Amino acid sequence: MIDTMKLRGIISERGLSQRKVAKNLGMTEKTFYGKMKKGVFDSDEIQQMIELLNIENPVEVFFAQFGA
């Protein structure tokens, strides 16, 4: 499960908006927001975000374990 709060924080820290990230991923804002709401992205999208946002520890963001 994706830690969407952490992902939103990283997007903000990098000076980007969710709109710009969606555009870089080649999807509409609506699609991006829907995926954020569900906390589900496919592996290609995750890889693109890791590179775009320069995420140093992607496991903490994209493979978060809640309540463990």
Side-chain angles (χ1 to χ4, degrees):
M1 185 89 165
I2 294 174
D3 186 340
T4 55
M5 293 300 289
K6 191 172 282 191
L7 182 55
R8 284 186 183 101
I10 292 170
I11 291 169
S12 178
E13 286 173 6
R14 302 299 188 262
L16 296 172
S17 65
Q18 292 184 55
R19 175 182 294 176
K20 288 182 181 179
V21 173
K23 185 176 180 182
N24 276 283
L25 295 175
M27 66 179 68
T28 67
E29 290 175 58
K30 183 177 179 179
T31 299
F32 185 80
Y33 293 135
K35 287 179 177 254
M36 286 290 279
K37 185 175 181 179
K38 292 178 184 174
V40 178
F41 288 89
D42 69 31
S43 59
D44 290 340
E45 294 161 346
I46 290 171
Q47 184 61 42
Q48 287 178 293
M49 284 191 279
I50 291 169
E51 293 171 9
L52 173 68
L53 301 170
N54 193 27
I55 298 174
E56 292 180 21
N57 192 351
V59 172
E60 291 179 355
V61 178
F62 298 106
F63 303 100
Q65 294 185 4
F66 299 101

